[in-house]
Structures are given as structure tokens and as C-alpha cells.
Amino acid sequence: MEAPLFLRLRRRLSVQPGAVVTMGDICQLYWDGVQEEHLRRLPVYQVKPEDGDLLVIDIMQVVKKLRTMYPDIQLEIQGAPQVIVEVISRRKRPNIVLVALVWLVLFIGSGLAIMNFHTDVSMPEVHQRLYYLITGRAESQPLLMQIPYSLGIALGMILFFNHFFQKRINEEPSPLEVELFLYQQNVDQYYIQHENKENEKMK
């Protein structure tokens, strides 16, 4: 009895425009040696310009391709039912003026948000009160409290986002990276559902 072919569809794949997507690109395969290597090089789909930036390859397309070559093959399928193929075009160089403008808007916006928060919670009065409790002297501008507090905000942001410029502090993902990952998952799920509805309308 011939051994079954085990395959697991990947969730996401990035290719260049016009690339030929092979079975090894979209699947993890396990079979006997020679046939397994042959299947890895088997073309499944040719990326066309009208496909846009994203396309979905369904597991049924893979099964159909395998059945045409091996009608009696035993399949053990695991993993996701679709793989999203992202077509990566050549990136344009960023506009320095636009980047600087966005950076300036974000910098001013975040600064205003911090200042408004401090005004809402009466942070200057809190610092004055803490300074009085520690030293016993009243001070309208207790720099001994305000300077370390300002440095602490910057250090807290670095630790929160787990990055210092391009350097990662530890291997744990930052909250921003987790949110981006969840956002990407939701986008992928929406795109798969949208593609399935479009395919049903075309039938």
C-alpha cells in the first residue's frame, strides 16, 4: 500500500510579480524522497498582473492539481484551507518631506496628549505636594520631581514598545507588534471571506 502524502498549507506567502507559485512554496510536504522533491517543484499558479496585490489559493486547487497527476493518491491534509499570496511590487523611495511632515504631526499630537493628560490629573500640583512631603519645603517648580518623571516617561515608552531605535530590547513582542499581528489576521480573514463570496457569485 502506497504511503499517504501529508501536506500542510501555509497561511501566507510573499512573491514577486509574475512569479510561478509552486507546491513547495504554498505547502509543507511529506512523502517518499524522489516524488516529494518532484512535487515541491510542481507549478500551481502563475501570478498575473490582473491579480493585484493579494490573491487566495484554495486547498481544492491543490487537491485538483495532485489528482490530475496521481489519481489514486492518499492525502492527509492539515492546516489552513487557504493560503494568501501577497504580490510584492518594487517599493518606491519614501518622500522625505512627507515623512518629516507625518513625524512632526505625530510628535506634536503625542506631546499635546501627554500635556492634556497631566492637566486633567493636576500633575504639577501632585509634584508640588510630593516635594513638600519629602523635603518639607513648598516649591512652585519642584525640578527634583519633574526631571526624573520626564526621563521616566521616555524610558517607559522605550520599554513599552520594546525598541530603542532599530534595536530590540528582548525577544518578547511589543504591544504594538501584537496589535499589528491581530490586525493582519483580521485583514486576511476578511480578504478570504470576500474572495469566497466573489467566487460563489461567479459560479
Side-chain angles (χ1 to χ4, degrees):
M1 185 176 181
E2 191 175 15
L5 167 63
F6 294 90
L7 61 91
R8 181 194 298 270
L9 212 61
R10 305 181 196 275
R11 291 189 176 273
R12 196 174 181 88
L13 173 69
S14 297
V15 298
Q16 298 295 324
V20 177
V21 181
T22 63
M23 193 74 71
D25 292 331
I26 62 174
C27 296
Q28 292 176 289
L29 302 170
Y30 180 75
W31 209 13
D32 59 358
V34 178
Q35 291 176 311
E36 182 179 323
E37 285 302 316
H38 174 69
L39 283 180
R40 290 184 195 278
R41 296 190 297 269
L42 182 67
V44 177
Y45 189 81
Q46 169 81 50
V47 178
K48 299 183 287 293
E50 57 267 24
D51 290 328
D53 295 334
L54 291 173
L55 61 106
V56 176
I57 297 178
D58 193 87
I59 188 63
M60 297 309 294
Q61 294 174 252
V62 178
V63 171
K64 184 177 179 180
K65 191 77 174 180
L66 290 170
R67 290 291 186 191
T68 56
M69 297 186 61
Y70 304 97
D72 300 325
I73 191 172
Q74 289 182 307
L75 295 174
E76 292 288 339
I77 301 170
Q78 299 177 358
Q82 294 100 0
V83 58
I84 293 181
V85 180
E86 180 183 7
V87 182
I88 301 178
S89 303
R90 182 176 296 178
R91 292 185 177 180
K92 298 179 180 178
R93 295 188 63 182
N95 187 328
I96 301 300
V97 176
L98 184 61
V99 171
L101 181 62
V102 172
W103 180 87
L104 184 63
V105 170
L106 292 175
F107 180 80
I108 294 173
S110 59
L112 287 173
I114 292 173
M115 287 189 290
N116 289 333
F117 167 76
H118 287 163
T119 301
D120 289 342
V121 298
S122 301
M123 189 61 71
E125 288 81 356
V126 172
H127 284 165
Q128 293 168 7
R129 182 63 177 168
L130 287 174
Y131 185 83
Y132 177 77
L133 291 174
I134 293 173
T135 64
R137 291 185 291 111
E139 180 67 49
S140 61
Q141 291 184 336
L143 298 180
L144 189 65
M145 303 294 298
Q146 292 173 341
I147 292 175
Y149 176 77
S150 300
L151 295 175
I153 291 177
L155 180 61
M157 295 299 289
I158 291 173
L159 295 175
F160 180 78
F161 288 107
N162 196 24
H163 276 83
F164 185 72
F165 293 100
Q166 296 294 327
K167 185 175 178 59
R168 182 188 290 271
I169 297 174
N170 55 48
E171 294 301 319
E172 183 178 338
S174 69
L176 179 61
E177 290 172 323
V178 172
E179 287 300 320
L180 288 174
F181 173 75
L182 294 175
Y183 170 76
Q184 187 63 63
Q185 277 192 325
N186 291 333
V187 170
D188 291 348
Q189 191 62 35
Y190 169 82
Y191 189 75
I192 289 173
Q193 293 292 336
H194 180 72
E195 283 295 306
N196 288 341
K197 290 180 181 178
E198 289 296 323
N199 291 336
E200 289 175 3
K201 290 179 182 178
M202 293 174 61
K203 291 181 179 179

